[in-house]
Each structure stands twice: as structure tokens, then as C-alpha cells.
Amino acid sequence: MTGLGLVGAGKWGGNWLRTLAGLPEVDLRWCCDLNEALLAKVRQTHPHVLTTTSFDDLLRDPATDGVVIASIAPTHFPLARRALEAGKHVLVEKPMTLTAADAAALNRVADRAGRVLMVGHLMEYHPAIPAIRRLIQSGELGEVRRVESRRTNHGTLRTDENVWWSFAPHDISIAVRLMGDWPDAVSCDGQCIVQPRVADVVGGTLRFPGNRVARIDVSWHDPAKVRELRVYGTKKWVVFDDTLPWDGKVLVHDRGFDLNPAAAPDRRVVMRQGGVQALPLDQTEPLVAEARHFVECVRTNSRPLSDGVAGAAVVSVLEYGQRSLDVGREVAIPRPESDRPIRRAA
């Protein structure tokens, strides 16, 4: 069994607590939080888990191989750095850090320590995303020219991060994975409706090489919960709606527009209206798949799918997107300096 500690017993930390405690390959040894009331609930529901308000208790325990950090975003960098320096493997929730400089520094710490650094890009572990990646790899969709995602809800308002930093990491990680490249530039617009200087609604456009685009719309000021991804290929289109039952979450549309350069000018573009097919999916809960991947990486000391390099890339896009939001224009995104490039769609 792999000994793990959890930092953060709040709403999302509670999901991690349930998931880790339910995996037979995990020995969940610790839960750490500054809120004693939350720890009291942990003791009631999971009496075998030790609770503490001191992060040092986790770091001093030689039987704790790794740490899952599900605390608030501003604490991610200092906690992850301390854990890595103490020789622990780390899974840190998104966003990995709040600056690209801190993300790069965290990768350097992980490299020096020889420890796994994984980032909680949950949607990369949703069965739908690998399934869509396989469609792209097989050539069934043709060339992916555009990706659109919407993530909205009448959700919890935060004060330590806006909706771009809270919601968009999922969609940025998916866009980069499906496009298989870094974006050249980002343009964001948004509104601070409820709280001053905290954007509740943000729309972002990522421009990729080859005139490809990913459009990301996020909001926690919306009456409906929407979790939708659309992938537009030159041959087929895909719609992934995570609010639907498993047998209808991913639909492949054999529709589009075909070009015939040899035809008369008014007949060169032909609309194709083919059928719609539901894509069968493995029904493993994404958080379970993510947790098992982390455990396997800890056990073998191997590189995760959503490693620190991928996490730093997402933070870079977030940071330049925030800059675009602040200045009101498109901002170029420098390519990350790394000898470990992003994994292409596979």
C-alpha cells in the first residue's frame, strides 16, 4: 500500500478524502486542515485517519510516501515546495501555483528531489478525453481546427481567485492536450458583477499555430450548470456534455462541409449531413482514475500525464490570460522553456 496524506478537508478536499479512503492500494494516514470543525467531521467519518493542524506531522512521518494538496490556491506553492523538499511525492490541485515563475520553481524543486510532481487537472482523467484523443489520433475527425468549451454554474464565489483561475484550468489543459501544441496568444474579456475586482464571467480565446482556435467561456454567475466541450474536425465533429448520462455524454457527428476545388464556384462547398453516433465510454469516476494514476506514479517514480510541466503550461496561459483581461487586448504567450515538451494527443 502507498501511504498518503491529504491537506485540505473542505468541499473538494472531502471528495479527495472519500476517494483516497476507498482505494485498497492506498493507506490514507493523515488529513491536515487548520479548521478543527472540519477535522472533527473527518474523525467521525474516517476514524482510522489521523488528523492534525500541523503540516509538519505529515512531513515527519516516514510511512507517508506522498501528499495530496487540496487547500486554497495561494497555499499550493509553499505547501508543495515544503513537501517535495521533505522527500514526499506531491499531487497539487489546480491551479498548480498563482504565477508561472513559482510553477517553474516548483518543477526545479521536484527535479532536484527526484520526486513525482503531479497537478490535479481532473478532466484529463475523465474517460471522455482519452476517447476523444483516440479519435483525433486515428484521423477519424480529420484535422482539429477549433475547440469550444463552456463551464458555468450558479456556484460558490471566491475571493482569493476569479472564475478564470478557478474554472479555466480544466479547459486550458484539455485544449492544449487536444491541440497537441502551445498557444501563441490569448485574448480575454470579462465582468466583475458581484464583487469588485473579482471577475465572475470570463471568455478567453487561445490562438494556436496553424490558424487553430480554442474558445473557453467560464462563469459562476449563471443559472444553469453547463459542462460542454465541442471539437470541430475537418471530417467530423464531437460534442461532449458531462451533464448527460454515460451513454450519451460523447456524440460524434458525421457532419461538416466538404470542398471540391474542381467544381463550379457556387458548388465548391457541399454541406454534409451524416449520422450521429454515441461514443462508448469507460465509466470510471475521473477522481478515482486520477488518484490511481498518482499512486502508480508514486509506486514506480514515473512521470504523470498531468505533470509539473503541463501544470506550469496551464499557469502560464492563466497568467497571460489575466494580463489580457487587465489590459483589454490580446497578449502573446512565450513558449515554455523546458526539455520536457507537452505530450501530444495520444
Side-chain angles (χ1 to χ4, degrees), residues 12 16 69-70 76 91-96 119-121 287 290:
W12 190 244
W16 269 113
I69 298 173
H76 289 179
L91 188 156
V92 58
E93 266 300 340
K94 59 79 187 169
M96 173 185 178
V119 184
H121 293 164
L287 194 59
E290 184 179 42

Side-chain angles (χ1 to χ4, degrees), residues 132 136 141-150 174-175 178-179 204-217 229-239:
I132 295 171
I136 295 172
L141 302 186
E143 184 181 356
V144 174
R145 307 294 301 170
R146 184 177 180 87
V147 172
E148 296 178 357
S149 60
R150 290 184 64 211
I174 292 171
L178 296 184
M179 291 297 195
T205 300
L206 309 183
R207 282 201 301 105
F208 287 83
N211 195 32
R212 296 174 298 154
V213 169
R215 174 67 186 182
I216 297 171
D217 289 294
L229 171 72
R230 293 173 179 258
V231 181
Y232 297 92
T234 53
K235 294 180 181 179
K236 294 182 180 180
W237 303 336
V238 175
V239 177

Side-chain angles (χ1 to χ4, degrees), residues 20-37:
L20 294 174
L23 293 180
E25 62 267 42
V26 170
D27 174 17
L28 181 57
R29 300 181 56 78
W30 293 94
C31 182
C32 176
D33 199 289
L34 295 178
N35 188 327
E36 280 285 5

Side-chain angles (χ1 to χ4, degrees), residues 237 250-255 273-279:
W237 303 336
V250 180
L251 300 179
V252 182
H253 297 257
D254 185 13
R255 297 176 181 177
Q273 289 278 17
V276 181
Q277 180 182 6
L279 197 65

Side-chain angles (χ1 to χ4, degrees), residues 71-278:
S71 50
I72 60 174
T75 67
H76 289 179
F77 173 66
L79 291 177
R81 180 178 59 186
R82 287 184 60 198
L84 290 167
E85 290 173 343
K88 308 299 183 185
H89 301 281
V90 170
L91 188 156
V92 58
E93 266 300 340
K94 59 79 187 169
M96 173 185 178
T97 63
L98 294 181
T99 70
D102 282 349
L106 208 55
N107 274 303
R108 290 193 294 270
V109 172
D111 288 342
R112 287 197 301 268
R115 291 296 182 264
V116 170
L117 174 58
M118 178 169 160
V119 184
H121 293 164
L122 178 67
M123 291 308 297
E124 298 218 41
Y125 300 92
H126 192 296
I129 301 306
I132 295 171
R133 292 207 312 267
R134 288 192 290 271
L135 289 177
I136 295 172
Q137 187 181 40
S138 71
E140 184 172 345
L141 302 186
E143 184 181 356
V144 174
R145 307 294 301 170
R146 184 177 180 87
V147 172
E148 296 178 357
S149 60
R150 290 184 64 211
R151 188 173 302 273
T152 71
N153 202 3
H154 183 203
T156 303
L157 299 177
R158 301 176 183 270
T159 58
D160 55 321
E161 60 184 2
N162 61 27
V163 71
W164 174 248
W165 285 86
S166 182
F167 278 10
H170 294 302
D171 305 292
I172 294 170
S173 67
I174 292 171
V176 170
R177 190 72 62 187
L178 296 184
M179 291 297 195
D181 208 344
W182 305 113
D184 291 326
V186 57
S187 176
C188 283
D189 61 86
Q191 285 182 278
C192 305
I193 299 174
V194 179
Q195 305 175 94
R197 297 182 297 280
V198 180
D200 317 296
V201 181
V202 175
T205 300
L206 309 183
R207 282 201 301 105
F208 287 83
N211 195 32
R212 296 174 298 154
V213 169
R215 174 67 186 182
I216 297 171
D217 289 294
V218 291
S219 171
W220 55 36
H221 188 73
D222 195 280
K225 181 176 181 177
V226 177
R227 299 289 186 269
E228 187 178 79
L229 171 72
R230 293 173 179 258
V231 181
Y232 297 92
T234 53
K235 294 180 181 179
K236 294 182 180 180
W237 303 336
V238 175
V239 177
F240 164 35
D241 187 341
D242 200 22
T243 65
L244 295 179
W246 282 100
D247 59 358
K249 282 185 184 293
V250 180
L251 300 179
V252 182
H253 297 257
D254 185 13
R255 297 176 181 177
F257 298 89
D258 296 326
L259 300 178
N260 183 2
D266 61 340
R267 298 191 178 186
R268 286 177 183 169
V269 180
V270 179
M271 184 170 65
R272 177 168 31 86
Q273 289 278 17
V276 181
Q277 180 182 6

